[in-house]
Amino acid sequence: MAGRIVVFGATGYTGRLTAEALVARGARPVLAARNVERLRSLGDELGGLEIAVADVARPDTVRDLVEGGDVMVSTVGPFARWGDPAVEAAIAAGAHYLDSTGEPPFIRRVFEHFGPRAEKAGVGLVTAFGYDWVPGNLAGALALQEAGDAATRVRLAYFYVGPVKGTGGTKASTAGAVLEPHFAWRDGRLQTERGAKRIASFDVEGHERPAVSVGSSEHFTLPRAYPRLREVDAYLGWFGSMSRPMQAMSAVTQAAAKVPGVKGAVEAVMSRAVKGSTGGPTAEERARFTSHVVATACDDAGRELEEVRVAGLNGYDYTARLLAWGAERAADSGMKGAGALGPVEAFGLDELEAGSREAGIERVS
């Protein structure tokens, strides 16, 4: 018998889109959040769905959301601040877990802190299961598979095409990540480094576009799937002409954050200036931009062996549809392993490619 799917953060922007995507697939998820009136309204709107009140400020209420065999889908961010209770609840209950984060510090925490505990509990944790960072995992795995054993390096880059409007949650998560160390897979091991340390240029639909280096799940997941990998380079191309200034800002903020008292003061300013879930682009606005992700597999000398590009739907709708797809798979048949898993590990490459296509992003070359 399939377990229940619980969407924690259902009344937020991503949570609502995810709940809608699950209902569109014929599922009846449990909707969980802290505001009972908003929950009731959303539950009624989506066909009389079950609701549950839970608040990260009261971890016991989050633990009560799931039991063995269920699937916890968490969309409550910024995850570095509020993400732990949902992961703790899933592990304690024996429930599988998926989330929508893109935050490097939280991704690292899931793999290094929660992963071993989840493995002992026999449950799967798949963090960053959305536009951040599944398309790169998919394109990178396809490129590495087709390049063969000679491929020891992979380079990935994420871009939007068209006018983009961000959500309050995305802005809050990005602001928080500026002050935290990022990481990269270098010389066959994970190494800490600041975000935006490197800049590279990529061809996107005939135009050269800059991108800055970023800590992403691919630094953890691709070397596990392809142990021959010596280097993973991941880039984010959202910033255009601001890429160079962002690189400079990253260097300054990382240095300043080491000074006693400075990090706390900056975080306080950011928390006042950048709110959490404050809504996001409408369906019409989301339809105006698309996603484009490129992955290149290289040999030891840096020669390009294989390039794979995936493209399609905007990141918000894609994330919701992919979370819905993954939650159904996990509820029906579990995951292909336990502990902190990459998307390829959790579902298999062929199935992940099919699921991504169904969610709106597929291979184009």
Side-chain angles (χ1 to χ4, degrees), residues 135-145 154 156 222 226 294-297 308:
N137 272 276
L138 174 61
L142 289 170
L144 289 165
Q145 177 175 271
V154 65
L156 317 149
L222 290 178
Y226 302 91
V294 57
T296 306
V308 171

Side-chain angles (χ1 to χ4, degrees), residues 39 69 92-93 111 117 145 148 183 188 199 203 214 252 290-291 329 349:
L39 275 173
F111 276 95
R117 292 170 52 193
Q145 177 175 271
F183 45 83
I199 289 182
D203 177 87
V214 64
V252 170
T290 58
S291 304
R329 293 300 187 280
L349 181 54

Side-chain angles (χ1 to χ4, degrees), residues 9 27 37 63 75 99 125 127 156 242 329 339 353 355:
E37 295 303 323
R63 286 194 296 270
T75 63
D99 71 42
L125 310 177
T127 187
L156 317 149
M242 292 300 296
R329 293 300 187 280
E353 184 174 17

